[in-house]
Amino acid sequence: MVEDLSGVVNPEIEGRIIDLKGDSLPGDISDRKGWVKENGTWYYYDAKGKAQTGWSKVKGTWYYMDNTGAMQTGWEKVNGTWYYMNNSGAMQTGWEKVNGTWYYMNNSGVMQTGWEKVDGTWYYMNNSGAMQTGWEKVNGTWYLLDNSGAMQTGWIRRAGSWYFTDKSGAMQTGWIELDGEWYYLHTNGRMRTGWVKIDNEWYYFSGSGDMQ
C-alpha cells in the first residue's frame, strides 16, 4: 500500500506510480500503466496505457471507475445495485459501518435489504440497507431485533414486560401453550398476569404468566 502526502491510503500499486503528489508530469500518455494519480484523482491504466472504466480487479480486489476512468469511493449505484468502496477504492463485502449505521454486502459486494442470515443469525435491513434494531414490523408481523441487530426468539423481556416470539421470530398474541402450560398475550404481545377477562370469561394467570 502507498500513502499520498495527505495520509490517505491509496490502492495497491500494480506497475509504476505517476503523479504521486498530484502534480502533472510531462511525457507520452502511453507511459501510464497501473495506478496513476492525476489532479488528485486515481485512474487505472492497462498494459497498453488505456484508462479503465467500470469494474476492474487489481491484485484480487475490485475497484469501480466511472465513465471518465476516475476511481470511485463511498456508495456507488451500478446497474440499479448499490456497492460500497472504502477510502482506498476497494469494494467492500460483509458488514460495513457507514456514518454510524451498519450495512451488509454479500460476497459480490451487493448491498442487502430485507432479511439476511449471517453466520446462522437473522438480521433485517430496511429499503435503504440500514440494519434495524428494536421492534420491526415486516409484512404485518412484529419481530424484535436486539442492539446487535440479531433477531430474537422465545421469551423476551422488554421494558418490564414479557413477550414471546416463535422460531421464525414472529411475535405471538392470544393463547399459546408451552411445555403444557397456557399463557395469554395481549394484542400488543405483552404477557398477561393476574385476573384477565377473555371472551367474557375470567381467567387467572400467575406472576410467571401460566394459567392457574
Side-chain angles (χ1 to χ4, degrees), residues 81-93:
T81 299
W82 286 100
Y83 300 83
Y84 186 77
M85 273 62 75
N86 66 12
N87 290 338
S88 299
M91 184 195 79
Q92 302 298 284
T93 60

Side-chain angles (χ1 to χ4, degrees), residues 137-157:
K137 194 174 188 180
V138 183
N139 297 327
T141 299
W142 285 99
Y143 299 84
L144 183 61
L145 312 164
D146 70 11
N147 290 337
S148 72
M151 185 192 77
Q152 304 297 286
T153 60
W155 285 111
I156 304 161
R157 187 170 177 83

Side-chain angles (χ1 to χ4, degrees), residues 14 35 41-42 47 72 75 77 83 85 93 98 102 113 134 188 200:
E14 182 176 277
W35 288 109
T41 299
W42 285 97
Q72 302 299 287
W75 289 109
K77 194 173 188 179
Y83 300 83
M85 273 62 75
T93 60
V98 183
W102 285 100
T113 61
N188 61 17
N200 293 319

Side-chain angles (χ1 to χ4, degrees), residues 67-137:
N67 56 10
T68 70
M71 185 195 79
Q72 302 299 287
T73 61
W75 289 109
E76 189 71 22
K77 194 173 188 179
V78 183
N79 297 326
T81 299
W82 286 100
Y83 300 83
Y84 186 77
M85 273 62 75
N86 66 12
N87 290 338
S88 299
M91 184 195 79
Q92 302 298 284
T93 60
W95 289 109
E96 189 72 21
K97 194 173 188 180
V98 183
N99 296 328
T101 299
W102 285 100
Y103 299 84
Y104 187 79
M105 274 65 73
N106 68 12
N107 291 338
S108 299
V110 176
M111 184 195 77
Q112 302 298 286
T113 61
W115 289 108
E116 187 72 19
K117 194 174 187 179
V118 183
D119 297 328
T121 299
W122 285 99
Y123 299 84
Y124 186 78
M125 274 64 74
N126 67 13
N127 290 337
S128 70
M131 184 196 79
Q132 302 298 285
T133 61
W135 288 108
E136 188 73 19
K137 194 174 188 180

Side-chain angles (χ1 to χ4, degrees), residues 175 184 195-203:
W175 288 103
Y184 188 78
W195 286 105
V196 180
K197 192 176 185 179
I198 305 169
D199 297 329
N200 293 319
E201 296 287 342
W202 285 97
Y203 299 86

